[in-house]
Amino acid sequence: PSSKVPIGTVTVNNRCVLITRMYNAFHKEGSNGESKQIGNYYSVSDPIPADKDLTDNLVKELKKRITKYPVTPGLGATCDSFYGSQGRIDPWFQDHNDRLIDELMEKEPEAVTLEMETGHLLHLAKTAKNSKIRAGGCAIVLAQRKSNAFLSKDETYFMEREAAIAVLEALITTPLSADDETVAEPLDVTTQMKLYDVMKRKQKNKAQALSMFAYAAAGFTAVTTAIVGYRVWNSKRATWF
């Protein structure tokens, strides 16, 4: 949503707000025909922090592999829909969102992304009862809403692969907790390519392979939670194959 974040940027969400459509506000007619609008049309939550250690490692590993584009920590905005809550104007629907992005940037000027996943996962991690879940997230800026610029397919494939490997490196170098310094060995080049080849064999072409690889590895916080959980059950050490 910010004009200061160009396409190709890899954003690392150190915290997220949740943008939610206020459904009652769109249904104004009560049983007696009177207006019963409740609140504004959209709510923006307070920021939910990501895990600091994991976030710092994400930034470090991404900067090691990605030098062509900036790696930018910042606030993410997680929306409950692809259209109305992300400020997209559709002439066929009355979404009351003409100023949604402007109001978001006024309230949260450090917002760097609009997406639909990370904030929910940060929230779930914070509400876990019996154990601490480290959660963080990153995203590649494929489209710039202000300039209407789009990252090319070739650049997207390259960035997905490099970001995916960086995410895996960050996962295996992050201790499970403040009291546990156990980490796994970094991925060597052979292991990195093996990961890619496993995906490639299951797909019909390179484009699908790269997309699946990025979804599986850089598929953000869900992968963090799954792999960290696996490491706990595997004597605190990740076994990738």
Side-chain angles (χ1 to χ4, degrees):
S2 172
S3 59
K4 299 178 182 179
V5 182
I7 56 171
T9 300
V10 181
T11 62
V12 181
N13 296 140
N14 48 32
R15 60 203 190 286
C16 283
V17 296
L18 291 157
I19 300 177
T20 306
R21 187 179 180 102
M22 302 296 287
Y23 298 97
N24 284 339
F26 289 84
H27 304 283
K28 299 179 181 180
E29 295 299 319
S31 57
N32 57 0
E34 297 178 356
S35 174
K36 61 168 188 174
Q37 181 174 352
I38 301 174
N40 297 321
Y41 290 103
Y42 298 89
S43 70
V44 180
S45 75
D46 292 334
I48 304 169
D51 180 83
K52 185 179 185 305
D53 291 340
L54 182 57
T55 299
D56 289 346
N57 280 342
L58 278 171
V59 173
K60 180 180 70 175
E61 297 297 337
L62 285 163
K63 285 184 175 181
K64 283 181 183 179
R65 298 199 66 90
I66 297 172
T67 57
K68 185 175 181 179
Y69 296 100
V71 175
T72 304
L75 180 139
T78 297
C79 309
D80 65 351
S81 76
F82 185 76
Y83 292 97
S85 298
Q86 292 194 36
R88 288 185 168 87
I89 307 300
D90 188 328
W92 294 99
F93 294 90
Q94 179 56 275
D95 289 313
H96 298 289
N97 62 350
D98 302 56
R99 277 192 41 79
L100 178 60
I101 302 303
D102 292 335
E103 291 178 4
L104 169 67
M105 296 309 297
E106 290 169 6
K107 181 177 180 180
E108 302 290 352
E110 296 184 8
V112 292
T113 53
L114 286 171
E115 41 81 74
M116 297 178 63
E117 297 83 21
T118 309
H120 297 294
L121 293 165
L122 297 186
H123 167 71
L124 289 173
K126 293 297 180 184
T127 57
K129 287 185 176 181
N130 298 321
S131 62
K132 177 180 179 179
I133 298 176
R134 291 188 182 274
C138 63
I140 302 167
V141 177
L142 302 178
Q144 225 300 335
R145 296 281 292 277
K146 295 293 185 180
S147 66
N148 202 35
F150 293 84
L151 196 66
S152 71
K153 288 185 178 180
D154 289 342
E155 288 293 286
T156 298
Y157 300 152
F158 169 78
M159 291 294 289
E160 285 177 342
R161 181 177 182 277
E162 295 302 300
I165 293 171
V167 167
L168 289 174
E169 294 285 8
L171 289 174
I172 64 178
T173 56
T174 301
L176 297 178
S177 69
D179 300 324
D180 177 15
E181 296 301 321
T182 303
V183 296
E185 294 296 329
L187 297 174
D188 57 30
V189 174
T190 302
T191 305
Q192 294 173 11
M193 294 311 299
K194 187 174 181 181
L195 281 168
Y196 173 63
D197 289 340
V198 168
M199 297 297 181
K200 188 175 181 180
R201 286 198 300 270
K202 295 181 179 180
Q203 300 300 313
K204 294 181 179 179
N205 56 54
K206 181 180 178 181
Q208 288 177 318
L210 284 166
S211 296
M212 183 177 178
F213 180 62
Y215 180 80
F220 309 85
T221 317
V223 176
T224 304
T225 304
I227 293 179
V228 169
Y230 177 69
R231 289 171 60 195
V232 172
W233 290 104
N234 197 37
S235 301
K236 301 179 182 179
R237 186 174 181 81
T239 302
W240 299 99
F241 300 101

